[in-house]
Amino acid sequence: MNKARGMMAPENLGKRKILFFAANPRDTEYLNLPAEVEEIRDGLGRAKYRDSFTFEERWATPPREMQNALLEVDPQIVHFSGHGSSVGELILEGEGGLQQPVPSKELYGLFGLFPSIKCVVLNACFSKVQAEAIAAHVPYTVGMNAPIGDRAAIEFAAGFYRALGTKEKLDFEFAFHFACRAISFQGIPEGQTPVCILKGGRRLPTYQSTSGAAASQKGSNSTREISLVYKPTKDVPHEAVSPPSVSAEILRLGSQDGAVDLDSPFYVRSPLEERACEAVNRPGALLRIKSSHGMGKSSLAIRVLDYAKAQGHRTVTIDFKATNEKFFQDLDQFAKWFCASVGKPLGIRKRTEDYWDDMFGPNGNCEDYFQDYLLTGEPLTLALENFDRLFDYPQIETDFCALLRGWHEKAKRDDRWDLLRLVIVYSQESYEPKDINQSPFNVGFPIELGPWTQAEVEALSAQYRLTFDQQDLSNLMDLTGGHPHLVHLILPSIALGESSLSEIMAIAATEAGIYSSHLRERLIYLEKHPELKEAMQSVVEADELVRIKSQDAHRLVSMGLIKRVSNDVEPLCRVYQEYFREQLAV
């Protein structure tokens, strides 16, 4: 079922090898992939440096054939044409010619084995998810941030390789921009659909078409997307066709609390992510990622660490929320635990008891341990999650914060400490006054995440294949305030057809609604803290901005329940106002 064809002199080992994969399983919509190949061959054939390329094709590609072809051809450029799904998969061909999805984490692992690959082009719908994964290993990776029509995909491929062959040295950035313009030059409004991601996660600027926003072509122009709604093809018996592996469980992944997985299609990239990655790559960096609970700080942190790992850093994450209570009772015990916890995932088993000298105190011993055992070889990026738990233990907080600040300052004059990159992840700073010269919270590079914009909510909705009209979108923003976790909770139910937006909104602020567990957890916390309960009650009962004690506002903002407007506050969203107005009045 597979066929391989060469274009030009494959025996010349000095040539640049392009490996083209095509997959159009029988239970997916027909794509004109032969036309795409012919356009690529024609474009390269007309190029000034056409003799410097070879072109190998693999059709009806199953996963094993993709692996074998990479081994056999050892290409510099890999091109995939076919279908993608909005849950982050490429669709290859499996048994019987039916579709076989391949998740992005598998592509991440596969392409990491081939350092000779300089560019990967994924000419399929929603392939930006896979491109972001592959970009950890490959200098240039092209994917699509939305569905792309067959015409646009063919024009992009033709333009990309036509431009690539005009220069003596491979210039992928020029080829990418030329190809995007080639789409719009043909009057196809999808010039902004392709994205090019550089190794490490930075994206090339997207071409801004004057034709308007990208939109899939209709009519005879097929899209390279596998829909979440399964429809068997007419020419295949119903019982012989397996639906795509898009289940309710996959859709509900987006509604889970905590960090969004690296390979999840339900991650909304923060515009600050690129800046955070750039910051952590600086010698001796201290990066502070702050947001209210559920606003995405942990999701951003794991991507920053993934970027650091791609740069050759060793990475360790310490989550203070998951740490046993006993280690917070004594600074010396805490310092020993901290050193051992950082060393363990690095394979360093030196016993702190054998190394500790009471004469130098916990901070001195901890610093020496890092310098002698942990800061050797490659840079170490250390993430400290849920850092604000330390604020409940002032006997630990003061000295430990001074230690971290000291390490950051030490990097300015001692090259060994350049190797340490600190990432502090937290919801609030300590409200108690501290010596500003001993705090890590007034130095380094700050990143603060807030509620999503309407555009970001629309982007996530698109991943669920949902399109809201302006009124529904306005209602969704009013209900959730753009709170990422509240938005994540609501979309799977709508995508699965279990409830409509109006049905969810009608009972959202009640114990019978979709947010019941989320709301109840916060109510229990307020009940345990009478001063916060009173402050929150005054906020939700007011029909206008209200001013409360600064310390109470500080804590309620960190919980994500309210937002500041100058020196005043108001509920973050309608569901919080309605629920807590009723519950706190009881």
Side-chain angles (χ1 to χ4, degrees):
M1 194 171 183
N2 301 309
K3 58 180 179 179
R5 293 180 288 169
M7 179 180 173
M8 305 172 195
E11 67 275 10
N12 189 332
L13 299 179
K15 297 196 176 192
R16 294 138 176 188
K17 301 174 186 176
I18 302 170
L19 178 56
F20 178 95
F21 293 110
N24 196 172
R26 59 191 296 195
D27 55 339
T28 62
E29 188 174 11
Y30 173 79
L31 301 174
N32 196 358
L33 301 183
E36 181 173 346
V37 171
E38 289 306 312
E39 288 289 342
I40 293 173
R41 289 165 57 86
D42 182 68
L44 281 174
R46 294 171 180 267
K48 180 178 180 180
Y49 293 98
R50 57 186 176 273
D51 293 330
S52 65
F53 292 88
T54 64
F55 189 82
E56 293 282 337
E57 302 167 33
R58 297 293 188 273
W59 290 79
T61 310
R64 181 175 293 176
E65 174 59 16
M66 176 175 279
Q67 297 171 35
N68 291 340
L70 289 171
L71 290 170
E72 294 166 7
V73 178
D74 190 25
Q76 286 77 51
I77 302 166
V78 175
H79 185 111
F80 172 83
S81 287
H83 286 288
S85 77
S86 61
V87 292
E89 300 161 326
L90 286 187
I91 308 301
L92 301 184
E93 291 203 13
E95 187 174 354
L98 304 181
Q99 57 184 285
Q100 182 169 339
V102 177
S104 56
K105 64 181 180 180
E106 299 302 330
L107 296 171
Y108 169 91
L110 177 62
F111 281 93
L113 300 175
F114 295 91
S116 62
I117 297 175
K118 304 304 179 188
C119 179
V120 174
V121 178
L122 303 177
N123 212 2
C125 294
F126 292 115
S127 53
K128 179 175 74 74
V129 176
Q130 301 94 321
E132 288 175 336
I134 294 170
H137 306 297
V138 176
Y140 295 86
T141 309
V142 175
M144 306 297 158
N145 61 20
I148 186 166
D150 216 6
R151 285 182 56 214
I154 292 171
E155 288 297 333
F156 179 85
F160 185 87
Y161 292 102
R162 190 162 66 246
L164 199 62
T166 62
K167 293 181 177 286
E168 183 175 4
K169 293 184 178 180
L170 292 175
D171 190 340
F172 296 111
E173 294 189 22
F174 171 76
F176 170 76
H177 289 303
F178 183 91
C180 291
R181 284 160 174 77
I183 295 174
S184 295
F185 196 73
Q186 293 295 324
I188 305 171
E190 296 181 67
Q192 297 178 57
T193 300
V195 294
C196 183
I197 304 167
L198 308 188
K199 187 174 183 179
R202 186 172 71 84
R203 284 175 55 173
L204 291 182
T206 303
Y207 168 58
Q208 298 297 317
S209 170
T210 57
S211 303
S216 296
Q217 297 295 295
K218 298 181 180 180
S220 62
N221 182 30
S222 304
T223 59
R224 301 187 171 199
E225 171 199 5
I226 294 299
S227 171
L228 296 180
V229 180
Y230 173 60
K231 297 178 181 178
T233 54
K234 294 179 180 178
D235 58 337
V236 182
H238 187 282
E239 61 274 14
V241 182
S242 301
S245 59
V246 180
S247 63
E249 289 74 20
I250 292 176
L251 284 175
R252 289 197 174 96
L253 284 175
S255 67
Q256 293 179 350
D257 203 359
V260 179
D261 290 347
L262 280 173
D263 58 353
S264 171
F266 306 119
Y267 174 67
V268 177
R269 184 184 175 93
S270 167
L272 299 173
E273 183 174 327
E274 183 175 341
R275 294 173 60 196
C277 290
E278 290 174 352
V280 83
N281 210 25
R282 299 171 187 167
L286 192 157
L287 175 64
R288 296 182 279 117
I289 302 177
K290 177 183 180 182
S291 80
S292 303
H293 178 73
M295 294 280 187
K297 59 186 180 295
S298 295
S299 297
L300 175 57
I302 65 172
R303 283 159 177 81
V304 170
L305 259 68
D306 189 60
Y307 168 82
K309 185 180 296 183
Q311 307 310 303
H313 297 199
R314 298 167 296 155
T315 60
V316 175
T317 298
I318 302 295
D319 187 350
F320 289 126
K321 188 175 182 180
T323 303
N324 290 335
E325 178 77 18
K326 68 177 183 179
F327 295 119
F328 294 100
Q329 305 307 313
D330 174 76
L331 181 60
D332 197 62
Q333 179 79 350
F334 175 84
K336 290 179 180 179
W337 163 82
F338 182 67
C339 288
S341 296
V342 176
K344 184 178 178 181
L346 299 175
I348 298 170
R349 297 282 186 167
K350 179 71 176 177
R351 287 170 53 88
T352 53
E353 290 82 357
D354 298 337
Y355 184 82
W356 231 245
D357 190 330
D358 292 340
M359 179 181 297
F360 299 109
N363 278 13
N365 282 310
C366 188
E367 184 169 302
D368 288 345
Y369 191 91
F370 262 70
Q371 187 167 284
D372 292 347
Y373 296 110
L374 304 180
L375 299 182
T376 57
E378 299 301 324
L380 169 62
T381 296
L382 174 60
L384 306 177
E385 281 267 11
N386 293 297
F387 192 92
D388 22 358
R389 185 183 179 190
L390 290 180
F391 302 151
D392 294 332
Y393 305 93
Q395 73 277 15
I396 304 292
E397 175 203 347
T398 301
D399 286 330
F400 188 63
C401 284
L403 179 66
L404 298 182
R405 172 64 180 269
W407 288 352
H408 179 65
E409 299 297 336
K410 208 175 184 69
K412 299 175 182 178
R413 59 183 185 273
D414 188 333
D415 289 346
R416 288 173 296 183
W417 288 87
D418 277 352
L419 294 174
L420 180 63
R421 322 292 167 84
L422 290 170
V423 181
I424 300 177
V425 187
Y426 62 110
S427 295
Q428 62 177 339
E429 297 170 19
S430 175
Y431 194 76
E432 299 300 322
K434 294 289 185 298
D435 183 342
I436 61 172
N437 296 312
Q438 293 189 325
S439 171
F441 295 104
N442 54 6
V443 293
F445 190 86
I447 294 286
E448 185 162 359
L449 304 176
W452 279 340
T453 63
Q454 182 170 305
E456 289 171 317
V457 172
E458 284 185 285
L460 182 63
S461 301
Q463 292 298 84
Y464 282 96
R465 304 300 298 122
L466 296 172
T467 302
F468 295 106
D469 62 31
Q470 194 56 44
Q471 185 58 56
D472 280 345
L473 189 59
S474 178
N475 290 338
L476 180 59
M477 291 298 293
D478 181 54
L479 181 71
T480 65
H483 190 304
H485 186 55
L486 298 185
V487 176
H488 272 300
L489 284 172
I490 203 172
L491 295 182
S493 243
I494 301 175
L496 289 166
E498 296 173 345
S499 305
S500 68
L501 178 60
S502 59
E503 290 170 338
I504 291 173
M505 290 177 62
I507 59 171
T510 72
E511 295 288 346
I514 199 167
Y515 297 129
S516 58
S517 296
H518 174 87
L519 295 169
R520 199 176 305 116
E521 288 174 2
R522 281 140 189 82
L523 177 63
I524 291 171
Y525 185 88
L526 292 176
E527 296 283 5
K528 292 179 179 178
H529 298 82
E531 72 287 358
L532 286 184
K533 176 183 176 182
E534 183 180 347
M536 187 65 183
Q537 188 170 2
S538 69
V539 174
V540 297
E541 288 181 350
D543 292 322
E544 55 188 16
L545 295 174
V546 65
R547 189 164 298 185
I548 60 177
K549 291 180 181 178
S550 181
Q551 186 169 0
D552 294 338
H554 185 75
R555 295 174 68 184
L556 291 174
V557 167
S558 75
M559 292 176 66
L561 297 179
I562 65 173
K563 60 182 177 182
R564 294 184 186 273
V565 182
S566 189
N567 290 324
D568 299 324
V569 298
E570 64 181 356
L572 178 71
C573 58
R574 181 156 61 88
V575 72
Y576 286 161
Q577 180 158 28
E578 292 180 359
Y579 178 81
F580 290 111
R581 176 182 282 176
E582 180 174 341
Q583 294 296 326
L584 297 180
V586 176

